[in-house]
Amino acid sequence: MPQPKLLLNPSAVTLALDRIAHQIAERNTSHGEVALVGIQKGGVHLASRLRQSLEKIWGHSVPLGLLDVSMHRDDHNQRLPIDIQPTSIPFDPTGKIVVLVDDVLFSGRTVRAALDALTDLGRPKAIQLAVLVDRGNRDLPIKADFVGKEAPTALDERIDVRLKEAGAEEDSVLLLKS
């Protein structure tokens, strides 16, 4: 099996997230309306880190939610949801600018499911998407508003995001060949 290729080292992960936080702050001048929602599992820790950065930039707390999209996916006939995670949205998304956060954007199907799940809970003023890595190969016409790294991949490759909060020794993003 070929060696994984390092796409982002720990400092590059931190820089990418800082850049995304500043882009979110720059784009959303009505920062009191912004809330973050991390998509389970990959986006949860990233949303938490973005929240910390935005709170430093704006000087006030930023609502944070967690969203499991398992029951909103369109591929239940291909794979049953076996690892359902909690959804916790401790705010009403209606009228908010909700920034969905995920680790990797690939086909767009997870984001589509997240849009369905989120709009079941309320009607946000706007929904934006922040991802650490955009690997291309979309099945659906979905584009991220904020991207840490563009990493076009082949279909037989995958992206592995490793974060300290999830038990990794250090933050990194690796490209793996199947």
Side-chain angles (χ1 to χ4, degrees):
M1 179 170 237
Q3 279 294 101
K5 178 181 176 186
L6 181 66
L7 296 179
L8 296 174
N9 63 25
S11 62
V13 170
T14 299
L15 286 172
L17 289 172
D18 286 346
R19 186 173 57 254
I20 290 170
H22 280 88
Q23 289 172 347
I24 291 169
E26 185 177 310
R27 179 165 173 186
N28 295 293
T29 54
S30 300
H31 49 84
E33 299 177 345
V34 174
L36 299 172
V37 173
I39 299 174
Q40 291 280 13
K41 293 180 178 182
V44 171
H45 299 303
L46 298 173
S48 180
R49 287 195 199 179
L50 288 171
R51 177 190 198 187
Q52 291 172 0
S53 294
L54 287 169
E55 287 177 347
K56 286 179 187 170
I57 293 167
W58 287 332
H60 64 77
S61 66
V62 176
L64 175 66
L66 313 174
L67 186 65
D68 183 90
V69 302
S70 301
M71 301 311 293
H72 288 83
R73 293 193 58 91
D74 63 1
D75 58 359
H76 289 294
N77 62 341
Q78 296 170 356
R79 65 176 197 173
L80 292 173
I82 55 172
D83 191 19
I84 297 174
Q85 299 295 310
T87 289
S88 171
I89 309 289
F91 57 88
D92 182 359
T94 301
K96 295 246 184 253
I97 299 168
V98 176
V99 181
L100 286 173
V101 181
D102 206 1
D103 55 354
V104 178
L105 177 58
F106 180 41
S107 68
R109 294 189 180 277
T110 299
V111 174
R112 189 220 41 91
L115 293 168
D116 287 350
L118 184 60
T119 56
D120 280 354
L121 301 171
R123 187 174 190 276
K125 177 179 179 179
I127 301 173
Q128 299 168 359
L129 176 61
V131 298
L132 183 59
V133 180
D134 182 347
R135 63 172 282 197
N137 298 308
R138 226 66 87 234
D139 291 342
L140 302 173
I142 291 176
K143 183 178 186 319
D145 298 280
F146 313 104
V147 177
K149 174 137 182 93
E150 301 268 350
T153 60
L155 293 176
D156 68 340
E157 296 173 320
R158 71 180 181 88
I159 301 288
D160 186 14
V161 175
R162 298 177 181 179
L163 300 173
K164 291 183 288 189
E165 297 92 334
E169 191 174 306
E170 64 181 13
D171 295 337
S172 65
V173 176
L174 303 170
L175 174 65
L176 306 168
K177 300 245 184 213
S178 296

